[in-house]
Amino acid sequence: MTLRHILLTGALLLSACGSPDQGKAQDATFGQAEERVVPRDAGVVKASFAPVVQATAPAVVNIAAQGVQTVRDPFWGQFYSQPTGSVGSGVIVRADGIVVTNTHVIEGMSDIRVSLADRREFPARVLLADARSDIAVLQLEGVSDQLPVLRIDAGEDQQVGDLVLAIGNPFGVGQTVTNGIISALNRTETGISDSGSFIQTDAAINPGNSGGALVDMDGDLIGINTAIFSRSGSSSGVGFAVPATMVQQVVSAALGGESAVVRPWLGVSGEAVTSERARELGLDRPRGLVVTRVWDGGPGDDAGIREGDVIVSIDGAAVDDQGGLNFRVGANAPGDTVRVGLLRGGREQTVTARVERLPGDAGLEAAAVIQSGALTGAQVLALNPAVADRLGVDPTTRGVIVGAVARGSYARQRVGLQTGDVVVEINGRAVTAASQLNDVQRGAEITILRRGERVSGTIR
């Protein structure tokens, strides 16, 4: 099964649904059609989605973005520019024109136009685009009155089985509403993000729904529709939405004037508890995250977390893998305290940790090209937690990461270094600086991390 981001790549689809007046036919048997009335109680509301749609749909918008991309001619090898564009959805979350959408809808685009349900159109500028969460915040320009809004419900009180509506603009056919249920919560192992915990729904989501609203029966925004699992590129009943907790965090950062979302860290990493590991630990079932690395002097270290501990919760919310831990910790602000539930020696206990910004400079300017020795031609950069996080590497990883390897170089042809490799040891000694890779000779033992696997060998 292939994960695909929801982008408007499909053609306009029409189906033979009959006359629009077909369902309004009247005869002597049935008499006059019943008049629609406003629901009087919660029980009646649940019998029709119309009241929820009427309250929420005006705040869901269509986004059309245009830009220019540079492409390489596959035959002549020359580079040239060509126009590109994308179409998606968005949600108005503040009456003065603050709109939330997916980053992949507007990424690389210079001209963004937003159309409201009442056909008004506004240009928009990007306040903040967060690639990690795939959430972007836009400001509509030229807004002179109060726009309809959806309230962000970041309470996380949803349950599996709750009814939801997905509102967006799939295939460019105009605004549509589909209904379904929440089929899972806290989905982390999706391949979408290493710091995301998604709401899964079976409400039909298709290309063009990206950035649209997932709303509950109170008419609140509980998620932004982001991706689908699909073989065909169209809905197969498994869609994912970024939860409102993360949406609120990105919106708050944008409105606070931040240029990026600052996520704190706990300074620990680990592995999900498997069935075999659960038996070894004496657990009744697989749960939690076995801590394999603790950053010296980090928040987890200061709180007394040790390697071998099993983290089972953050602030009472269950944690079962690294993605879940990253999400729960990242939903806080630097300086906040979190309660970490863990198992140690078969006993459950709680420690308090003050989460902080990732240490180090996230800039990539210090990257250097090795000029001598067996690793000549490799562009490398020493890792610190901030750099590692920016490059999508576990922030507790120590070593020197390979950014690029020159074609035809010894490092590429003979050593086999690849982009993304992390050199962790040379001749059994830990590598922490790029200068340690200068003048490495043939016959040296090298250990690297490649896609999470530790690989060792002799340079020949």
Side-chain angles (χ1 to χ4, degrees):
M1 193 170 285
T2 304
L3 175 68
R4 301 187 58 171
H5 277 95
I6 310 166
L7 297 174
L8 187 61
T9 55
L12 181 66
L13 300 182
L14 297 175
S15 60
C17 297
S19 167
D21 296 323
Q22 183 175 344
K24 299 180 181 178
Q26 302 172 5
D27 57 30
T29 304
F30 294 99
Q32 296 294 320
E34 290 186 0
E35 180 183 358
R36 289 176 180 257
V37 297
V38 176
R40 301 299 181 188
D41 55 56
V44 177
V45 169
K46 292 180 180 179
S48 172
F49 295 120
V52 181
V53 174
Q54 291 164 9
T56 59
V60 181
V61 301
N62 171 245
I63 297 176
Q66 300 292 326
V68 176
Q69 66 177 359
T70 300
V71 295
R72 183 175 185 271
D73 187 296
F75 185 76
W76 298 106
Q78 296 177 331
F79 291 91
Y80 62 93
S81 297
Q82 67 177 22
T84 184
S86 69
V87 178
S89 306
V91 181
I92 305 172
V93 295
R94 207 169 77 170
D96 60 353
I98 298 297
V99 172
V100 173
T101 186
N102 282 144
T103 295
H104 75 255
V105 171
I106 53 85
E107 191 169 26
M109 303 297 169
S110 55
D111 180 22
I112 303 171
R113 309 291 298 184
V114 175
S115 301
L116 274 60
D118 62 9
R119 301 181 66 180
R120 283 183 290 171
E121 186 176 291
F122 299 91
R125 58 186 174 89
V126 179
L127 296 182
L128 192 155
D130 182 53
R132 292 285 294 276
S133 64
D134 199 15
I135 294 295
V137 181
L138 312 179
Q139 171 68 69
L140 303 188
E141 299 180 324
V143 176
S144 59
D145 56 355
Q146 298 289 292
L147 300 181
V149 301
L150 275 182
R151 187 181 80 90
I152 300 175
D153 181 2
E156 291 193 87
D157 56 356
Q158 296 84 30
Q159 298 181 25
V160 174
D162 282 352
L163 287 169
V164 290
L165 301 180
I167 310 177
N169 184 38
F171 300 116
V173 300
Q175 190 177 87
T176 66
V177 181
T178 56
N179 78 283
I181 63 169
I182 294 175
S183 52
L185 293 167
N186 304 317
R187 286 293 196 212
T188 53
E189 296 300 321
T190 60
I192 305 171
S193 167
D194 63 354
S195 61
S197 181
F198 298 90
I199 299 172
Q200 180 179 305
T201 175
D202 69 348
I205 299 172
N206 288 292
N209 272 113
S210 281
L214 188 69
V215 301
D216 62 14
M217 293 300 100
D218 293 325
D220 293 332
L221 180 71
I222 63 170
I224 294 294
N225 297 317
T226 295
I228 57 176
F229 269 124
S230 176
R231 295 182 185 275
S232 64
S234 298
S235 177
S236 57
V238 184
F240 298 100
V242 178
T245 303
M246 183 60 69
V247 176
Q248 182 65 69
Q249 185 184 31
V250 180
V251 171
S252 296
L255 297 182
E258 301 288 343
S259 59
V261 178
V262 178
R263 293 184 177 84
W265 80 323
L266 186 60
V268 301
S269 62
E271 302 171 349
V273 175
T274 62
S275 297
E276 182 178 351
R277 194 66 184 272
R279 287 192 295 270
E280 293 174 359
L281 295 170
L283 302 180
D284 57 343
R285 60 181 176 82
R287 64 186 180 112
L289 179 82
V290 180
V291 175
T292 56
R293 283 201 293 260
V294 180
W295 186 267
D296 293 341
D301 186 29
D302 291 344
I305 298 175
R306 310 169 188 166
E307 292 183 9
D309 287 346
V310 180
I311 296 177
V312 295
S313 67
I314 297 291
D315 288 333
V319 168
D320 287 315
D321 51 36
Q322 189 69 49
L325 178 66
N326 293 345
F327 174 76
R328 290 298 168 191
V329 171
N332 294 275
D336 287 351
T337 57
V338 298
R339 293 175 290 107
V340 183
L342 55 84
L343 296 170
R344 179 181 296 163
R347 297 178 59 186
E348 199 157 340
Q349 56 183 281
T350 301
V351 300
T352 300
R354 184 179 297 277
V355 296
E356 301 292 350
R357 290 173 178 259
L358 282 86
D361 182 358
L364 307 180
E365 296 79 10
V369 177
I370 303 301
Q371 302 288 350
S372 60
L375 302 183
T376 296
Q379 183 186 47
V380 296
L381 177 66
L383 289 176
N384 61 51
V387 164
D389 184 66
R390 177 175 175 179
L391 297 177
V393 177
D394 177 359
T396 62
T397 302
R398 297 180 185 270
V400 172
I401 190 167
V402 178
V405 189
R407 186 175 300 177
S409 66
Y410 196 94
R412 181 169 180 171
Q413 297 294 104
R414 299 295 300 274
V415 182
L417 282 186
Q418 301 176 13
T419 298
D421 286 349
V422 178
V423 182
V424 294
E425 289 181 1
I426 295 290
N427 291 327
R429 295 181 60 183
V431 173
T432 58
S435 59
Q436 292 176 258
L437 302 185
N438 285 319
D439 297 320
V440 173
Q441 301 301 310
R442 294 169 60 182
E445 294 291 328
I446 184 172
T447 301
I448 64 173
L449 290 176
R450 177 174 293 165
R451 293 184 288 276
E453 297 293 328
R454 193 177 178 95
V455 181
S456 297
T458 301
I459 298 176
R460 302 191 181 282

